Amino acid sequence: MARSIIVFSLASIVALGSAIFTITSSPRLLKRSTLTIVASGIALIIFASTRHIQLLSHRSRKRSTRRPNPNSQNDRIQRPPMDYNLFVLGSGGHTKEMLMMMDDGFCDFSHFHRRYLISSGDSMSENHLHDYEESLASLCKSRETSPGTYDKRIVTRARRVHQPLWSTPWTALLSIVDIFPALLVPPENEVGRKLRYPSRVFSNGPATGFFVALAVHLLKMTYIVPESCMKVIYIESWARISTLSLTGKLLLYTGIADVFVTQHQEVAARYGVQNAGEIVFNSRRLDDIEPSPAKC
C-alpha cells in the first residue's frame, strides 16, 4: 500500500508539473491544462488526507496498546547504548522547564547526542543552555563519566510575543523552512554516522514546537522519515494548571504528537489526556512513557 501511494503521489506531481509547462508553452491548451492541474490537485489532496489519517491511526493504535505504569520498575524502558534526541527550547520559562526536566540525575551520556532548537533572537535560551551544559560537563567530570555531545540550531521565530495573527503564517513558513535541515542533517560525530535522525523530539509549549511537530509529520507523510523515528513527545508546561496552551491545543486536535501528557490532573481530565505528574520537579525523563526506537 505504501508503495502504491508513493507512485500515485509522484504521478500526480509529474502531471501537475507537465500541466504548468504546457500553459507556459502553449496558451491554446489552457483549458485542458487547467483540468489537469485541478485533477492533480485533487489527487494530491486525496493522498495527503489518506496518509494523514493513516499516521493518526497508527499513533492511536500504539497509545491504546501501551499504557505502562510509571511506578512499576518492570515497565521502565532501559536507555539504549546510543541515542540522539532533539529538544525544542522556548524563551524564558519554557526553556528553564525543559532543562529542569532533562536534569534527571543521570550523568553518563557516552554515545548520546543532544540537539537544541532555538528561535532567532532568543538569547535568554542560549544563556540557559550554556549554563546547563557547563553544569552537566562539570558533574560528569567529577564522576569521571562522559557528558556526551550536543549542538544547537537557530531557526526563524514562528511567532513573536504580541505578533499580529495575520502576519504569523509568513514567519511560520520561514520557521518551517529552517526546521527541516535541523531535523534532517545528522550531527557531525559518531552518533550522527550511526543515527541519521533524532529518535525523539521533545517540546513543552513554545509556538515553534507545533511547527517542529508539523514538519516531522510532513516528513513522515511523504515517507522521507520512517514512522519509528522522530517520535514527538509533548509535555504541557507546568504553568498550565487549568487549560492547555495554544500549542497544546493545536497538537491535541491535530493529533500529530506521538505522546501528549500534562503535568496537572485537572488539565488531563478536562481534555482526556494522560497526566504524567509534575515532571519539572520530579526531574525524570519520559523513558517510562515512550521508548526510544531501535535505530533511526
Side-chain angles (χ1 to χ4, degrees):
M1 180 179 179
R3 183 175 297 177
S4 62
I5 293 177
I6 294 175
V7 173
F8 179 69
S9 61
L10 289 176
S12 300
I13 294 173
V14 171
L16 184 61
S18 301
I20 294 174
F21 175 78
T22 303
I23 290 177
T24 57
S25 61
S26 179
R28 296 179 181 179
L29 300 178
L30 176 60
K31 184 176 180 180
R32 183 184 303 174
S33 299
T34 301
L35 292 175
T36 304
I37 291 176
V38 171
S40 301
I42 293 174
L44 288 174
I45 291 174
I46 293 174
F47 160 73
S49 300
T50 303
R51 181 63 176 145
H52 173 70
I53 294 172
Q54 184 184 56
L55 289 174
L56 295 189
S57 176
H58 291 173
R59 292 190 185 106
S60 177
R61 187 160 56 248
K62 290 178 181 178
R63 292 193 192 104
S64 62
T65 57
R66 184 178 60 245
R67 284 287 184 175
N69 179 6
N71 297 320
S72 172
Q73 292 298 321
N74 293 330
D75 287 332
R76 294 187 66 84
I77 304 301
Q78 298 297 319
R79 291 175 181 271
M82 179 177 289
D83 206 359
Y84 162 32
N85 293 317
L86 185 145
F87 300 89
V88 181
L89 302 185
S91 56
H94 285 299
T95 291
K96 195 65 177 178
E97 280 190 18
M98 179 62 76
L99 297 177
M100 288 175 69
M101 287 187 281
M102 292 172 59
D103 187 17
D104 60 357
F106 191 77
C107 61
D108 187 1
F109 293 97
S110 179
H111 305 299
F112 276 62
H113 184 82
R114 301 173 295 280
R115 172 164 291 176
Y116 300 99
L117 194 148
I118 304 174
S119 297
S120 56
D122 187 4
S123 58
M124 183 180 295
S125 288
E126 290 195 72
N127 292 334
H128 283 320
L129 169 59
H130 182 265
D131 293 341
Y132 171 80
E133 286 293 342
E134 274 196 343
S135 176
L136 179 62
S138 298
L139 176 64
C140 292
K141 183 177 180 180
S142 67
R143 299 188 181 183
E144 298 182 347
T145 57
S146 171
T149 57
Y150 79 94
D151 62 12
K152 63 182 179 181
R153 292 300 180 96
I154 308 298
V155 301
T156 301
R157 196 181 186 95
R159 183 173 184 264
R160 301 184 304 274
V161 178
H162 304 307
Q163 178 181 344
L165 290 177
W166 63 265
S167 63
T168 300
W170 171 246
T171 55
L173 178 61
L174 295 177
S175 180
I176 291 178
V177 170
D178 289 341
I179 288 169
F180 281 125
L183 293 170
L184 295 174
V185 178
E188 296 180 354
N189 53 31
E190 181 184 359
V191 176
R193 288 189 289 273
K194 295 292 181 65
L195 304 177
R196 183 175 180 182
Y197 307 119
S199 60
R200 291 179 287 185
V201 177
F202 290 87
S203 176
N204 67 332
T208 304
F210 171 73
F211 296 104
V212 172
L214 180 61
V216 170
H217 190 65
L218 292 174
L219 290 172
K220 292 181 180 180
M221 283 180 62
T222 51
Y223 295 94
I224 295 175
V225 171
E227 290 184 44
S228 60
C229 299
M230 294 189 192
K231 296 288 187 178
V232 176
I233 314 296
Y234 182 74
I235 311 162
E236 182 59 275
S237 170
W238 177 83
R240 307 300 301 192
I241 61 176
S242 58
T243 61
L244 292 175
S245 62
L246 177 59
T247 301
K249 291 177 181 177
L250 289 172
L251 288 173
L252 177 64
Y253 297 139
T254 56
I256 60 178
D258 294 277
V259 173
F260 189 110
V261 298
T262 66
Q263 299 188 61
H264 295 282
Q265 182 58 39
E266 181 181 346
V267 184
R270 181 171 183 174
Y271 295 94
V273 297
Q274 185 177 358
N275 176 39
E278 297 177 350
I279 304 176
V280 169
F281 301 107
N282 290 341
S283 294
R284 61 180 177 82
R285 294 236 182 119
L286 292 183
D287 287 340
D288 55 339
I289 295 177
E290 177 65 21
S292 292
K295 185 175 182 179
C296 286

